[in-house]
Amino acid sequence: MPGKIRVAQTVSRDIPAAEQPGLHNRWHPDIPTIGTIQPGETVKIECVDWTGGQIGNNDSAEDLRTVDLSKIHYLTGPFEIQGAEPGDLLVVNITDVQPFEDSPWGFTGVFDRQNGGGFLEDHYPKAAKAIWDFDGIYCTSRHIPGVRFAGLIHPGILGCAPSHEVLAEWNRREADLISSCVHSHPNKVVAQPPLVTNTHAGQATGDLKAKIAREGARTIPGRPEHGGNVDINNISRGSTTYLPVHVEGAKFSVGDLHFSQGDGEISFCGAIEMAGIITIKFDLIKNGVKSRAIKSPVFRPGDVAPNFGPGRYLTFEGFSVDENGKQHFMDATVAYRQACLRAIEYLKQFGYSGEQLYLLLSCAPIKGSIAGIVDIPNVCTTLGIPMDIFDFDISVEAEPKKRDLGSCPVSSV
């Protein structure tokens, strides 16, 4: 008979995340490990939500408006994988992800344009929030009534620590981007350089903590060498991810658990964010980076996925022409933004506010894709909405009827 699965690390939801030595919020090779996991071992790892508990289960968006983004993401780790060496592939088999039994809820948010913003910040500049309640695999929200769907539960972040050389390369190229965009994007934050403020370096203290704070990479973007914050909803239960190892012991970390997320996570805080427990079986492929020709993460999805028939999606198209009629050249970002805006305008006919729909398209199991990327000057993107998540018919054949669908909390300023 199999033995009881070991809990490799617990977390507290009562103690501030910044005071818990099993957590950290920067990537750096010198962050001390918090435990050892053997290849072939399955363990449970507890995680706080990505903000470290800054968002409450309430009917106000003020906590979203004032959230401190210098603190995120709080990850659990790093763990030493016994025998892992640079050049190996760490095999991460996710067998389960669950919210804590005594906390069956999560949140989706829109950040204020002056504090993080989001994909549609020019159209929805204020902070907004929706709370979701979990019932087994399903979720509903008092702030977005009329919808119910099963969550494709997954971690937003998993990755191995960078080497000193990889970390230096991250910081170099992101600093170069910031410098090159000073004139072309004068009012835009294009990258987040290392930030000493609110650095949490796990068990590191003194000079080591100060060094990590000066050099440590922010966890906000995913990066090609190690994955990190990729926010891919298919890295769910049953999936297998292959991560390049850059340091002795791999120094694996995980966090940013999501109950559900749409393709693109468009509101930035766009998944149903939650605290919970992830169960992982670890393996190693020795010298796998070279022998398998894998320099960036690769994954194989699991067998769990939303079960909507191909004909049950209402799909909107977007092109590289913005809402002001300006033609852009092969710009997939503009195209996907247009698909999102068209879907929102369509669904407003049924009684939802724009903020409710912005939140919904961020966290519901929508399907986003690039349909065409060669036909100059327009990229064509698509955004498919599963019609069966609604309590009513949203098909084009159904005559739109305004319903009283309440509202979600929106910040006052």
Side-chain angles (χ1 to χ4, degrees):
M1 294 289 291
K4 184 178 180 181
I5 296 175
R6 178 171 69 93
V7 178
Q9 182 63 42
T10 61
V11 298
S12 171
R13 283 160 288 148
D14 299 317
I15 299 172
E19 298 176 13
Q20 297 187 49
L23 305 177
H24 64 96
N25 65 4
R26 301 291 190 270
W27 291 114
H28 195 285
D30 294 338
I31 296 176
T33 56
I34 61 172
T36 300
I37 299 171
Q38 300 295 325
E41 185 179 10
T42 299
V43 298
K44 292 181 179 291
I45 300 172
E46 295 187 359
C47 302
V48 297
D49 81 77
W50 75 299
T51 72
Q54 295 185 60
I55 309 304
N57 186 346
N58 54 46
D59 299 321
S60 169
E62 296 309 306
D63 50 6
L64 258 298
R65 184 181 66 83
T66 60
V67 67
D68 190 338
L69 296 178
S70 68
K71 296 180 178 180
I72 54 94
H73 301 80
Y74 284 104
L75 307 179
T76 306
F79 295 95
E80 176 188 357
I81 309 302
Q82 188 70 42
E85 300 173 297
D88 294 344
L89 287 177
L90 180 65
V91 184
V92 180
N93 303 280
I94 298 175
T95 62
D96 199 12
V97 190
Q98 293 289 337
F100 287 111
E101 288 185 1
D102 62 349
S103 184
W105 68 276
F107 63 91
T108 304
V110 174
F111 288 138
D112 186 278
R113 185 177 183 178
Q114 303 304 316
N115 185 31
F119 195 52
L120 306 179
E121 62 186 36
D122 290 342
H123 301 267
Y124 300 100
K126 294 184 179 181
K129 182 172 77 175
I131 298 297
W132 296 86
D133 295 308
F134 307 149
D135 180 14
I137 66 172
Y138 296 98
C139 64
T140 56
S141 174
R142 63 184 182 268
H143 297 134
I144 310 177
V147 294
R148 179 176 183 264
F149 53 86
L152 186 57
I153 195 167
H154 61 281
I157 299 179
L158 45 81
C160 299
S163 64
H164 286 283
E165 294 77 14
V166 169
L167 176 62
E169 172 63 10
W170 290 356
N171 288 336
R172 180 203 63 77
R173 70 187 182 213
E174 290 170 23
D176 286 351
L177 177 66
I178 293 170
S179 297
S180 67
C181 290
V182 167
H183 300 296
S184 61
H185 298 76
N187 300 313
K188 189 73 173 177
V189 177
V190 298
Q192 297 277 9
L195 180 68
V196 171
T197 303
N198 288 323
T199 292
H200 183 29
Q203 300 179 74
T205 60
D207 291 343
L208 177 59
K209 180 177 180 179
K211 179 176 186 287
I212 293 168
R214 290 193 308 270
E215 301 173 353
R218 302 295 301 277
T219 60
I220 293 171
R223 296 179 175 92
E225 293 85 355
H226 86 146
N229 189 30
V230 294
D231 290 320
I232 298 172
N233 54 21
N234 292 115
I235 301 180
S236 184
R237 292 170 293 179
S239 68
T240 302
T241 301
Y242 305 88
L243 298 173
V245 172
H246 298 284
V247 299
E248 294 289 332
K251 290 195 169 182
F252 172 85
S253 299
V254 64
D256 187 24
L257 301 187
H258 297 166
F259 188 85
S260 177
Q261 182 204 300
D263 287 341
E265 198 185 13
I266 59 174
S267 75
F268 182 15
C269 185
I272 299 179
E273 311 285 350
M274 69 175 206
I277 307 169
I278 185 168
T279 308
I280 301 175
K281 180 180 184 294
F282 291 91
D283 283 301
L284 280 175
I285 299 177
K286 299 299 292 181
N287 196 36
V289 170
K290 182 177 181 180
S291 67
R292 304 306 197 270
I294 293 177
K295 295 182 178 180
S296 295
V298 173
F299 76 94
R300 188 174 70 244
D303 296 323
V304 179
N307 187 23
F308 303 106
R312 300 304 299 164
Y313 286 86
L314 186 61
T315 300
F316 295 81
E317 299 177 5
F319 301 89
S320 305
V321 179
D322 66 27
E323 60 271 26
N324 298 315
K326 180 180 178 180
Q327 178 72 63
H328 298 258
F329 177 69
M330 302 303 288
D331 194 322
T333 299
V334 169
Y336 197 58
R337 184 176 291 117
Q338 292 310 301
C340 293
L341 291 171
R342 287 165 187 162
I344 288 173
E345 287 306 309
Y346 179 84
L347 292 173
K348 279 183 179 180
Q349 300 176 100
F350 299 94
Y352 290 112
S353 70
E355 287 81 5
Q356 286 175 304
L357 294 168
Y358 188 10
L359 291 163
L360 182 63
L361 294 187
S362 298
C363 66
I366 66 166
K367 293 292 184 184
S369 67
I370 295 177
I373 201 166
V374 297
D375 299 319
I376 61 171
N378 285 326
V379 172
C380 176
T381 64
T382 62
L383 184 151
I385 301 172
M387 295 190 288
D388 296 332
I389 70 174
F390 295 89
D391 292 345
F392 46 86
D393 187 358
I394 67 161
S395 68
V396 177
E397 288 77 15
E399 184 175 350
K401 175 186 174 183
K402 282 274 188 179
R403 294 163 172 81
D404 182 4
L405 294 172
S407 62
C408 64
V410 178
S411 64
S412 56
V413 293

PDB file of all heavy atoms in Angstrom, residues 13 21 52 54 184 211 251 274 320 369 374 387:
ATOM      1  N   ARG A  13      -2.016  31.386   7.106  1.00  0.00           N
ATOM      2  CA  ARG A  13      -2.807  32.506   6.581  1.00  0.00           C
ATOM      3  C   ARG A  13      -3.075  33.547   7.650  1.00  0.00           C
ATOM      4  O   ARG A  13      -3.805  34.508   7.426  1.00  0.00           O
ATOM      5  CB  ARG A  13      -4.107  31.975   5.974  1.00  0.00           C
ATOM      6  CG  ARG A  13      -3.894  31.335   4.600  1.00  0.00           C
ATOM      7  CD  ARG A  13      -5.009  30.410   4.209  1.00  0.00           C
ATOM      8  NE  ARG A  13      -5.000  29.181   4.981  1.00  0.00           N
ATOM      9  CZ  ARG A  13      -6.084  28.487   5.312  1.00  0.00           C
ATOM     10  NH1 ARG A  13      -7.277  28.920   4.943  1.00  0.00           N
ATOM     11  NH2 ARG A  13      -5.980  27.367   5.998  1.00  0.00           N
ATOM     12  N   PRO A  21       9.396  32.154   6.672  1.00  0.00           N
ATOM     13  CA  PRO A  21      10.669  31.812   6.037  1.00  0.00           C
ATOM     14  C   PRO A  21      10.546  30.795   4.906  1.00  0.00           C
ATOM     15  O   PRO A  21      11.494  30.625   4.141  1.00  0.00           O
ATOM     16  CB  PRO A  21      11.496  31.239   7.191  1.00  0.00           C
ATOM     17  CG  PRO A  21      10.478  30.754   8.179  1.00  0.00           C
ATOM     18  CD  PRO A  21       9.329  31.700   8.078  1.00  0.00           C
ATOM     19  N   GLY A  52      -0.251  37.357  -0.948  1.00  0.00           N
ATOM     20  CA  GLY A  52       0.054  37.144   0.454  1.00  0.00           C
ATOM     21  C   GLY A  52      -1.064  37.547   1.390  1.00  0.00           C
ATOM     22  O   GLY A  52      -0.821  37.933   2.534  1.00  0.00           O
ATOM     23  N   GLN A  54      -3.489  39.991   0.788  1.00  0.00           N
ATOM     24  CA  GLN A  54      -3.867  41.405   0.781  1.00  0.00           C
ATOM     25  C   GLN A  54      -5.328  41.642   0.380  1.00  0.00           C
ATOM     26  O   GLN A  54      -5.864  42.728   0.635  1.00  0.00           O
ATOM     27  CB  GLN A  54      -2.971  42.189  -0.184  1.00  0.00           C
ATOM     28  CG  GLN A  54      -1.506  42.241   0.209  1.00  0.00           C
ATOM     29  CD  GLN A  54      -0.716  43.144  -0.728  1.00  0.00           C
ATOM     30  OE1 GLN A  54      -0.982  44.339  -0.859  1.00  0.00           O
ATOM     31  NE2 GLN A  54       0.281  42.566  -1.399  1.00  0.00           N
ATOM     32  N   SER A 184      10.078  55.926 -26.865  1.00  0.00           N
ATOM     33  CA  SER A 184       8.957  55.340 -27.611  1.00  0.00           C
ATOM     34  C   SER A 184       7.758  55.050 -26.716  1.00  0.00           C
ATOM     35  O   SER A 184       6.615  55.056 -27.167  1.00  0.00           O
ATOM     36  CB  SER A 184       9.408  54.045 -28.301  1.00  0.00           C
ATOM     37  OG  SER A 184       9.844  53.088 -27.349  1.00  0.00           O
ATOM     38  N   LYS A 211      21.967  41.435  -0.591  1.00  0.00           N
ATOM     39  CA  LYS A 211      22.446  41.099  -1.936  1.00  0.00           C
ATOM     40  C   LYS A 211      21.288  40.607  -2.807  1.00  0.00           C
ATOM     41  O   LYS A 211      21.138  41.021  -3.969  1.00  0.00           O
ATOM     42  CB  LYS A 211      23.534  40.035  -1.840  1.00  0.00           C
ATOM     43  CG  LYS A 211      24.126  39.571  -3.175  1.00  0.00           C
ATOM     44  CD  LYS A 211      25.264  38.586  -2.916  1.00  0.00           C
ATOM     45  CE  LYS A 211      25.990  38.203  -4.206  1.00  0.00           C
ATOM     46  NZ  LYS A 211      25.168  37.302  -5.046  1.00  0.00           N
ATOM     47  N   LYS A 251      16.556  24.063  -6.931  1.00  0.00           N
ATOM     48  CA  LYS A 251      15.902  25.147  -6.190  1.00  0.00           C
ATOM     49  C   LYS A 251      14.551  25.504  -6.823  1.00  0.00           C
ATOM     50  O   LYS A 251      14.333  26.596  -7.354  1.00  0.00           O
ATOM     51  CB  LYS A 251      16.816  26.375  -6.087  1.00  0.00           C
ATOM     52  CG  LYS A 251      18.005  26.154  -5.162  1.00  0.00           C
ATOM     53  CD  LYS A 251      18.702  27.448  -4.767  1.00  0.00           C
ATOM     54  CE  LYS A 251      19.704  27.222  -3.648  1.00  0.00           C
ATOM     55  NZ  LYS A 251      20.361  28.475  -3.213  1.00  0.00           N
ATOM     56  N   MET A 274      -6.274  32.051  -5.491  1.00  0.00           N
ATOM     57  CA  MET A 274      -6.638  31.361  -4.259  1.00  0.00           C
ATOM     58  C   MET A 274      -5.386  30.904  -3.517  1.00  0.00           C
ATOM     59  O   MET A 274      -4.292  30.819  -4.090  1.00  0.00           O
ATOM     60  CB  MET A 274      -7.522  30.151  -4.567  1.00  0.00           C
ATOM     61  CG  MET A 274      -6.792  29.021  -5.275  1.00  0.00           C
ATOM     62  SD  MET A 274      -7.807  27.557  -5.488  1.00  0.00           S
ATOM     63  CE  MET A 274      -6.508  26.291  -5.570  1.00  0.00           C
ATOM     64  N   SER A 320      -5.564  43.702 -36.367  1.00  0.00           N
ATOM     65  CA  SER A 320      -4.584  44.714 -35.977  1.00  0.00           C
ATOM     66  C   SER A 320      -5.024  46.124 -36.357  1.00  0.00           C
ATOM     67  O   SER A 320      -4.239  46.932 -36.857  1.00  0.00           O
ATOM     68  CB  SER A 320      -3.225  44.390 -36.619  1.00  0.00           C
ATOM     69  OG  SER A 320      -2.812  43.086 -36.308  1.00  0.00           O
ATOM     70  N   SER A 369      -6.809  32.483 -29.237  1.00  0.00           N
ATOM     71  CA  SER A 369      -5.813  31.919 -30.148  1.00  0.00           C
ATOM     72  C   SER A 369      -5.435  32.932 -31.221  1.00  0.00           C
ATOM     73  O   SER A 369      -6.145  33.917 -31.451  1.00  0.00           O
ATOM     74  CB  SER A 369      -6.338  30.647 -30.823  1.00  0.00           C
ATOM     75  OG  SER A 369      -7.402  30.948 -31.696  1.00  0.00           O
ATOM     76  N   VAL A 374       0.222  35.669 -40.780  1.00  0.00           N
ATOM     77  CA  VAL A 374       1.046  35.864 -41.975  1.00  0.00           C
ATOM     78  C   VAL A 374       0.432  36.823 -42.983  1.00  0.00           C
ATOM     79  O   VAL A 374       1.106  37.237 -43.936  1.00  0.00           O
ATOM     80  CB  VAL A 374       1.323  34.515 -42.680  1.00  0.00           C
ATOM     81  CG1 VAL A 374       2.119  33.602 -41.782  1.00  0.00           C
ATOM     82  CG2 VAL A 374       0.020  33.840 -43.104  1.00  0.00           C
ATOM     83  N   MET A 387     -20.673  29.090 -24.280  1.00  0.00           N
ATOM     84  CA  MET A 387     -22.028  29.595 -24.053  1.00  0.00           C
ATOM     85  C   MET A 387     -22.715  28.918 -22.876  1.00  0.00           C
ATOM     86  O   MET A 387     -23.608  29.492 -22.238  1.00  0.00           O
ATOM     87  CB  MET A 387     -22.862  29.429 -25.321  1.00  0.00           C
ATOM     88  CG  MET A 387     -22.369  30.266 -26.491  1.00  0.00           C
ATOM     89  SD  MET A 387     -23.508  30.282 -27.895  1.00  0.00           S
ATOM     90  CE  MET A 387     -23.289  28.608 -28.508  1.00  0.00           C
TER      91      MET A 387
END
